[in-house]
C-alpha cells in the first residue's frame, strides 16, 4: 500500500497556483499559434486536414478530407473521433484559429494536475518549478509550433491519469486513461500499460480490465474500424507500428530494441532531452515505463522525422516524464526530514536550471524574436489574391496557403501525386514554396503543366500566382 501523502508546510490547499499557471500558458500557446498562422507559417498538412475533419463534423457528417484525396474518409486513416467535440465551437467560429485556440487550452489544462501534485506534496516552490518546467518544456512547445494535432486531447488525459496513478487513485487513473482510445489508435498500448500498473500496485481486477480494454480497443480500431473506412481496406501504418518498414520482422526489431533506442544519433538526443528537464530523475519512478509504447513505435520506424525533437510527437511523453519526476521525489524523499527537504531542493533546482538552459533552443523562444510580431508584407499580397476566390469554390493551393482557405472553400493540395486536378482555382507561392510534401521543383513543374492544360493566369502579386480553369480546360 502507498503511504498517505503529507501536505508540505506552506502548501495552500486551494487550486489558484496551478490554474494561474494554466491560464498563463494558454495565453502563451494561443498567441504563438495564432501569430504563426497570421504569418502564414501553418500548413495544409496538417492544420488543413484537421480543419476539414472538424468542418465535416460541424456539418453533421463523418470526417472527410479532400487534401487526402477525393472524398477521403479520415476514419480510414487514423481513429480520432474525439475531434467531433470541437464541432460546436467550429460552428460558432468556423476558422482554423478555433482549432489552434482549442489546442492551446487543452495543452494548458494539462499543467494543472502535475503542478497541483507537486504543490500539495512539496509546497509552492515545487508547484512553480514543475508547472513552469512542464508548461515550457520543448515537447509541448514543438506541438504548439506545428499546426494542430489530435494528440492535444491525449496530453491532459495522460497528465490527469499519471497524477492519479502516482497518488493511488486507481479508478480515476483508469477513467482518465480510457478516453485515449478515442484520440488515436496507437494510444491503446499506453492504456494497456496504465492498466498493468494498476494491476501491479492496486486493484487487480480493475487493472486487468483496463489493460484488456486498451489492447482490445487498439486491435478493433486497427483491424476492423480503420480498414472499413480506408479506400484500400487496410491500416496504412502497420509498418510503423510493427517495425516492418524499417527492415526485418517485428520480432527481429524488438530484439534489437535496446540498440534502436539510441541509434541513429537523433534518437539518443531525443532521449537525453526528454529526461534533461527533470534532471534524469524520472528514471527512478516505475511510471516512466508508460513512455515505452510511444518511444517504441517512433524509434522502430524507418521515418527519421519520428526520431527527433521536432513536430508534435513528443508532446504525449512530457506528462509522463514530469509525472514520473514528481513520483520519484515522493519515493526518494518520502518524509519531512532535513535530508529529504534538501534532496527535493536539489532536484527542483536542477530541473529549473535545465528548463532555463533548454528554453532558448525551442519554439517558445520565438517570443523574443521581433519577426514573430510582424506580419510579412507578402502575406497581404497572398490574401489579396485569395480574396478573389469566391466562397464555396474548389481550390488547389500550395501547402502554406491551404489553411488560409479551408474555412470557406473545398481545398486540395496543388500538384499532389495521385489527386486529380479538378479544382476551378489554383493559387500557389511560386517565389518561396514550402518544399513539403511537394518539392519546389515538382510544384513549379505542376504549375507549368496547369498553364499548358488551359488554366489561365488571373493575377500575380509578389510571387503568388492565381489561376482559373478556362471553360475548355
Amino acid at each position: 500500500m502507498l503511504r498517505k501523502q503529507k501536505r508540505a508546510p506552506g502548501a495552500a490547499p486551494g487550486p489558484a497556483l496551478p490554474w494561474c499557471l494554466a491560464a498563463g500558458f494558454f495565453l502563451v500557446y494561443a498567441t504563438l499559434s495564432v501569430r504563426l498562422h497570421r504569418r502564414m507559417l501553418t500548413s495544409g498538412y496538417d492544420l488543413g486536414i484537421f480543419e476539414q475533419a472538424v468542418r465535416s463534423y460541424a456539418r453533421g457528417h463523418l470526417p472527410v478530407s479532400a487534401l487526402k484525396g477525393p472524398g477521403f474518409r479520415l476514419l480510414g486513416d487514423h481513429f480520432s473521433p474525439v475531434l467531433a467535440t470541437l464541432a460546436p465551437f467550429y460552428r460558432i467560429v468556423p476558422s482554423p484559429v478555433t482549432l489552434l485556440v482549442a489546442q492551446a487550452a487543452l495543452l494548458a489544462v494539462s499543467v494543472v494536475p502535475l503542478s497541483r501534485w507537486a504543490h500539495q506534496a512539496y509546497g509552492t516552490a515545487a508547484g512553480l518549478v514543475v508547472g513552469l518546467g512542464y508548461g515550457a518544456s520543448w515537447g509541448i512547445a514543438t506541438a504548439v509550433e506545428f499546426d494542430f494535432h489530435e494528440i492535444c486531447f491525449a496530453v491532459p488525459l495522460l497528465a490527469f491519469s499519471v497524477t492519479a496513478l502516482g497518488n493511488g487513485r486507481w479508478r480515476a487513473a483508469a477513467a482518465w486513461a480510457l478516453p485515449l482510445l478515442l484520440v488515436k489508435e496507437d494510444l491503446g498500448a499506453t492504456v494497456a500499460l496504465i492498466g498493468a500498473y494498476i494491476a501491479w500496485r492496486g486493484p487487480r481486477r480493475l487493472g486487468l480490465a483496463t489493460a484488456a480494454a486498451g489492447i482490445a480497443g487498439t486491435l478493433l480500431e486497427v483491424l476492423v474500424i480503420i480498414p472499413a473506412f480506408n479506400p484500400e481496406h487496410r491500416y496504412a501504418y502497420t509498418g510503423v507500428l510493427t517495425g516492418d518498414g524499417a527492415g526485418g520482422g517485428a520480432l527481429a526489431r524488438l530484439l534489437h530494441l535496446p540498440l534502436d533506442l539510441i541509434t541513429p544519433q537523433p534518437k539518443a538526443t531525443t532521449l537525453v532531452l526528454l529526461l534533461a528537464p527533470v534532471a534524469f530523475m524520472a528514471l527512478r519512478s516505475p511510471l516512466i515505463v508508460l513512455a515505452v509504447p510511444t518511444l517504441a513505435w517512433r524509434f522502430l520506424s524507418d521515418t527519421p522525422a519520428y526520431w527527433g525533437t521536432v513536430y508534435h510527437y513528443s508532446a504525449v511523453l512530457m506528462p509522463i516524464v514530469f509525472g514520473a519526476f514528481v513520483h520519484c521525489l515522493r519515493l526518494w524523499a518520502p518524509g519531512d526530514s532535513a535530508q529529504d527537504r534538501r534532496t527535493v531542493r536539489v532536484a527542483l533546482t536542477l530541473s529549473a536550471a535545465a528548463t532555463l538552459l533548454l528554453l532558448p533552443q525551442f519554439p517558445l523562444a520565438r517570443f523574443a524574436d521581433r519577426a514573430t510580431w510582424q506580419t510579412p508584407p507578402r502575406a497581404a499580397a497572398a490574401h489579396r489574391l485569395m480574396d478573389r476566390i469566391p466562397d464555396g469554390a474548389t481550390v488547389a493551393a500550395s501547402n502554406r496557403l491551404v489553411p488560409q482557405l479551408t474555412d470557406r472553400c473545398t481545398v486540395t493540395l496543388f500538384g499532389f501525386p495521385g489527386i486529380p486536378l479538378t479544382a476551378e482555382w489554383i493559387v500557389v507561392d511560386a517565389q518561396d514554396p514550402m518544399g513539403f510534401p511537394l518539392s519546389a521543383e515538382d510544384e513549379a513543374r505542376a504549375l507549368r503543366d496547369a498553364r499548358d492544360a488551359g488554366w489561365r493566369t488571373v493575377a500575380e502579386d509578389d510571387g503568388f500566382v492565381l489561376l482559373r480553369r478556362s471553360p475548355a480546360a
Side-chain angles (χ1 to χ4, degrees):
M1 296 293 293
L2 292 173
R3 297 179 54 176
K4 185 176 180 181
Q5 195 164 337
K6 297 181 180 179
R7 188 179 303 279
L17 174 63
W19 284 104
C20 286
L21 290 175
F25 277 115
F26 167 70
L27 293 175
V28 169
Y29 302 157
T31 300
L32 178 58
S33 290
V34 173
R35 284 304 306 157
L36 290 172
H37 183 66
R38 299 299 184 210
R39 296 180 61 215
M40 296 179 57
L41 294 177
T42 52
S43 57
Y45 276 61
D46 296 312
L47 178 58
I49 292 173
F50 283 107
E51 185 181 1
Q52 289 180 337
V54 175
R55 190 181 185 191
S56 296
Y57 279 125
R59 292 177 170 181
H61 306 299
L62 291 177
V64 173
S65 175
L67 287 162
K68 298 285 288 186
F72 188 92
R73 298 179 294 180
L74 284 172
L75 290 177
D77 188 39
H78 290 297
F79 187 73
S80 304
V82 70
L83 293 171
T85 61
L86 297 181
F89 304 101
Y90 190 84
R91 285 183 66 89
I92 298 170
V93 184
S95 165
V97 172
T98 299
L99 276 66
L100 297 175
V101 171
Q103 176 172 258
L106 289 162
L107 295 176
V109 165
S110 69
V111 174
V112 173
L114 297 167
S115 176
R116 183 168 55 200
W117 184 11
H119 181 209
Q120 292 175 346
Y122 296 108
T124 301
L128 281 170
V129 170
V130 170
L132 291 172
Y134 169 78
S137 63
W138 63 267
I140 301 296
T142 51
V144 171
E145 180 189 42
F146 181 42
D147 289 6
F148 169 94
H149 295 89
E150 73 284 277
I151 56 91
C152 64
F153 288 91
V155 174
L157 291 172
L158 282 167
F160 280 101
S161 185
V162 168
T163 299
L165 284 178
N167 287 280
R169 295 185 289 111
W170 311 118
R171 290 183 181 276
W176 284 111
L178 288 172
L180 291 169
L181 294 170
L182 303 178
V183 177
K184 202 173 180 183
E185 65 279 358
D186 63 284
L187 290 169
T190 303
V191 175
L193 273 184
I194 290 172
Y197 188 95
I198 294 172
W200 172 45
R201 301 298 298 269
R204 180 168 297 180
R205 183 175 297 179
L206 175 64
L208 293 177
T210 304
I215 295 170
T218 286
L219 291 177
L220 179 65
E221 292 164 9
V222 169
L223 300 179
V224 179
I225 299 176
I226 294 176
F229 286 96
N230 186 275
E232 298 179 4
H233 303 292
R234 67 185 183 92
Y235 179 59
Y237 302 94
T238 302
V240 171
L241 294 178
T242 65
D244 294 342
L251 179 60
R253 294 307 309 276
L254 289 174
L255 291 175
H256 289 83
L257 180 59
L259 184 61
D260 285 338
L261 286 174
I262 58 174
T263 59
Q265 179 267 332
K267 299 178 182 179
T269 299
T270 297
L271 288 174
V272 169
L273 291 178
L274 275 174
L275 296 167
V278 295
F280 293 85
M281 296 179 187
L283 291 171
R284 297 178 63 94
S285 166
L287 290 175
I288 196 64
V289 74
L290 301 181
V292 169
T294 296
L295 289 172
W297 76 254
R298 288 174 59 186
F299 289 177
L300 285 173
S301 170
D302 61 350
T303 304
Y306 295 157
W307 303 341
T309 58
V310 295
Y311 308 126
H312 58 288
Y313 302 114
S314 295
V316 296
L317 298 173
M318 303 318 294
I320 296 171
V321 169
F322 275 84
F325 175 53
V326 180
H327 190 235
C328 156
L329 295 181
R330 179 179 174 182
L331 297 175
W332 200 10
D336 293 326
S337 67
Q339 178 61 40
D340 287 339
R341 291 193 294 271
R342 185 161 49 250
T343 298
V344 171
R345 282 197 301 271
V346 170
L348 293 173
T349 300
L350 292 173
S351 176
T355 296
L356 290 173
L357 287 172
L358 290 174
L359 191 61
Q361 312 303 318
F362 290 99
L364 293 188
R366 285 180 178 267
F367 276 85
D369 185 355
R370 183 180 300 176
T372 300
W373 311 105
Q374 298 172 345
T375 301
R378 293 192 72 233
H383 281 285
R384 282 194 295 271
L385 262 64
M386 290 185 288
D387 286 346
R388 302 180 67 165
I389 301 173
D391 293 351
T394 56
V395 186
S398 295
N399 199 23
R400 290 290 192 205
L401 300 177
V402 167
Q404 309 295 326
L405 291 162
T406 41
D407 60 342
R408 63 184 186 88
C409 297
T410 299
V411 188
T412 59
L413 187 67
F414 175 67
F416 198 76
I419 299 180
L421 184 56
T422 59
E424 182 183 2
W425 297 84
I426 296 173
V427 59
V428 297
D429 184 352
Q431 177 177 306
D432 186 23
M434 181 180 177
F436 174 85
L438 238 64
S439 69
E441 294 77 12
D442 287 341
E443 191 165 318
R445 186 181 305 111
L447 181 59
R448 291 194 299 270
D449 291 344
R451 281 171 162 156
D452 292 341
W455 269 261
R456 62 180 179 84
T457 301
V458 175
E460 297 188 47
D461 193 346
D462 206 358
F464 295 100
V465 182
L466 178 66
L467 297 89
R468 186 172 185 181
R469 187 186 186 99
S470 65

